Amino acid sequence: MSDGGLDFLSPTRATVPLRTPMAGEHTAPLRPQDGWLLETRAIGINFADVVGRRGRYTKDARCPFFPGLEAAGVSVVGAIQGGFPVPRLPRLSLLEAMWPAAAGIALISFTESIAAARAFVRPADPPIDANRELLALGAANAAGAFIGSMPAGGGTSQTAVSRNAGSQTQAASLVVAAVAFATLLFLAPVLALMPHATLAAVVIAYSIGLVDPAEMAAIRRVRTMEFRWAVVACLGVMVLGTLKGVVVAIVLSLVGLVALAYDPRVDEIGRKPGTNVFRPRSPEHPEDETIPGLLIARPVGRIYFANAENVGAKLSALMKATSPRVALLDCSAVPGFEFTALKKLVEAEARLREEGTQLWLAALNPEALELVQRTPLAERLGRERMFYTVEEAVAAFMARGTADP
């Protein structure tokens, strides 16, 4: 200690008093995270104490609010430009040079904002509307462009600090805005003296609760692929930094979605014995029935130019394995067709007809039905080979005597 102040350069002397209960406090055992909170709180108290009496210190004193602190290798916030922002028109000449970086910042900001909103939403809160969130962020950044502000966006660490401080309504944002305004006018010289480690302690203390190993374990139990994405995203943030790590997570998620869409499932459908329940055939239900001469196949997902070949290859494999007289496509899991996929479906019908196999369609969704009706396929199939449900198609197949003897 020096002149009754705290010696910040001595870790032992800085941390030992922080775990001593104050008068009136309970003495229950502390959790690990409580240590962080107490240390952060004490750092803030001593920071205010030293600022309030800094005129009594000399440069020889071991005080962090003089240039000697930086000479000792401790990083501080540094100069903060104060005063009112001066309104000015954005420089449109910079648009061409800055739009790629601006687009990246916008994507990352929106992603983190939505992630924070979903992580902290409470059961009693209204549902999150991603479109409204995007509109709000866009409006805030558009207004900020006229005063040269930093990009606006939500953040998990900031939200954690606000939540743990007891904020319940948007009034907390007004308080933050008032403090920021006061900083511009009065507090900039004081905050400039704050060590970065103090800010880091605040973020760590309030963000440590966001790390949830139980949630990671639950993800792994449910879906291994998403667990791998989460691990890679975590490593990306730790190795590359927050912004680049978030970019890695976004790119990885998009690649995973594209991979799933590129190779959709095509299930062979069987009938549960004694019922009209049709479901994918699987080892769990070996007793499910198949109807001789009829192949029922169910593609899953939208069919477009990139996955049409894969869907066709899987259907061809099922056709070779069963040699049906009728191939019935259950389209209940197909939201729609892209033009290239429709073209391939028309070609497939013609080829199957030449080979002596009929193509039937069932359970077309409204969008898929509308698209099919715009092609020659609808005229070729007619009402005789297009059905509302799989059950109706199977009944028609049996009634027409199309089944093999």
Side-chain angles (χ1 to χ4, degrees):
M1 297 284 181
S2 175
D3 193 24
L6 181 63
D7 184 352
F8 278 82
L9 299 182
S10 174
T12 303
R13 297 170 68 185
T15 56
V16 170
L18 300 179
R19 300 186 185 278
T20 302
M22 299 178 65
E25 284 191 302
H26 65 80
T27 57
L30 294 176
R31 300 167 298 174
Q33 59 266 35
D34 291 334
W36 285 104
L37 296 174
L38 287 175
E39 289 175 18
T40 305
R41 217 173 289 156
I43 288 173
I45 293 171
N46 282 277
F47 171 74
D49 176 73
V50 175
V51 171
R53 297 181 294 154
R54 64 176 182 165
R56 297 162 55 186
Y57 288 95
T58 67
K59 290 186 178 180
D60 294 332
R62 301 179 72 184
C63 172
F65 302 116
F66 289 103
L69 185 63
E70 294 185 80
V74 178
S75 174
V76 297
V77 172
I80 301 176
Q81 183 178 357
F84 286 103
V86 179
R88 66 187 69 179
L89 291 176
R91 295 171 57 185
L92 298 180
S93 59
L94 299 175
L95 179 61
E96 183 177 356
M98 297 184 64
W99 78 262
I105 292 173
L107 177 62
I108 293 172
S109 176
F110 179 65
T111 302
E112 186 179 8
S113 299
I114 289 297
R118 291 175 177 170
F120 289 95
V121 66
R122 294 169 292 197
D125 291 338
I128 298 171
D129 187 339
N131 291 329
R132 293 185 64 183
E133 297 290 332
L134 181 59
L135 179 62
L137 288 177
N141 283 289
F146 292 93
I147 56 173
S149 70
M150 296 289 289
T156 52
S157 59
Q158 300 96 317
T159 307
V161 170
S162 178
R163 175 66 63 85
N164 289 328
S167 63
Q168 299 291 329
T169 67
Q170 282 101 339
S173 298
L174 297 178
V175 173
V176 173
V179 173
F181 184 71
T183 301
L184 290 176
L185 297 181
F186 315 114
L187 302 180
V190 177
L191 293 180
L193 304 172
M194 182 181 293
H196 280 133
T198 303
L199 299 179
V202 173
V203 173
I204 292 173
Y206 285 100
S207 298
I208 196 70
L210 298 177
V211 180
D212 191 352
E215 185 72 13
M216 294 288 287
I219 294 174
R220 185 180 181 184
R221 286 195 303 270
V222 175
R223 198 156 185 262
T224 305
M225 181 59 70
E226 289 191 22
F227 172 76
R228 293 172 182 168
W229 295 349
V231 170
V232 172
C234 181
L235 293 176
V237 170
M238 290 190 294
V239 174
L240 303 177
T242 303
L243 295 181
K244 293 181 180 179
V246 171
V247 170
V248 169
I250 293 173
V251 171
L252 187 64
S253 299
L254 292 177
V255 169
L257 292 175
V258 170
L260 291 174
Y262 178 75
D263 191 23
R265 289 171 43 195
V266 177
D267 297 319
E268 182 182 3
I269 303 300
R271 181 169 60 185
K272 184 178 179 180
T275 69
N276 274 330
V277 175
F278 293 86
R279 60 190 179 188
R281 299 190 64 191
S282 65
E284 288 79 10
H285 303 287
E287 73 282 0
D288 284 357
E289 304 170 342
T290 59
I291 301 171
L294 175 66
L295 168 66
I296 308 176
R298 179 189 294 162
V300 178
R302 187 176 297 274
I303 304 177
Y304 63 109
F305 70 95
N307 65 12
E309 290 288 346
N310 290 333
V311 173
K314 293 179 180 182
L315 289 173
S316 296
L318 291 176
M319 297 278 292
K320 290 180 181 179
T322 57
S323 300
R325 298 278 301 279
V326 171
L328 172 63
L329 286 187
D330 175 6
C331 299
S332 58
V334 179
F337 298 95
E338 188 259 349
F339 176 78
T340 304
L342 279 173
K343 185 177 179 181
K344 289 185 176 296
L345 187 61
V346 173
E347 295 171 353
E349 191 279 332
R351 185 175 62 255
L352 290 174
R353 185 160 25 90
E354 293 177 357
E355 296 173 358
T357 301
Q358 297 182 15
L359 176 67
W360 291 9
L361 301 179
L364 285 162
N365 286 297
E367 178 186 341
L369 176 60
E370 182 181 357
L371 294 171
V372 169
Q373 289 175 338
R374 298 176 184 176
T375 67
L377 185 62
E379 184 177 350
R380 294 180 188 175
L381 299 181
R383 293 184 176 274
E384 293 78 14
R385 291 192 283 166
M386 296 176 65
F387 302 90
Y388 290 109
T389 64
V390 173
E391 295 88 340
E392 182 182 340
V394 171
F397 178 82
M398 303 297 293
R400 297 175 192 177
T402 318
D404 292 339

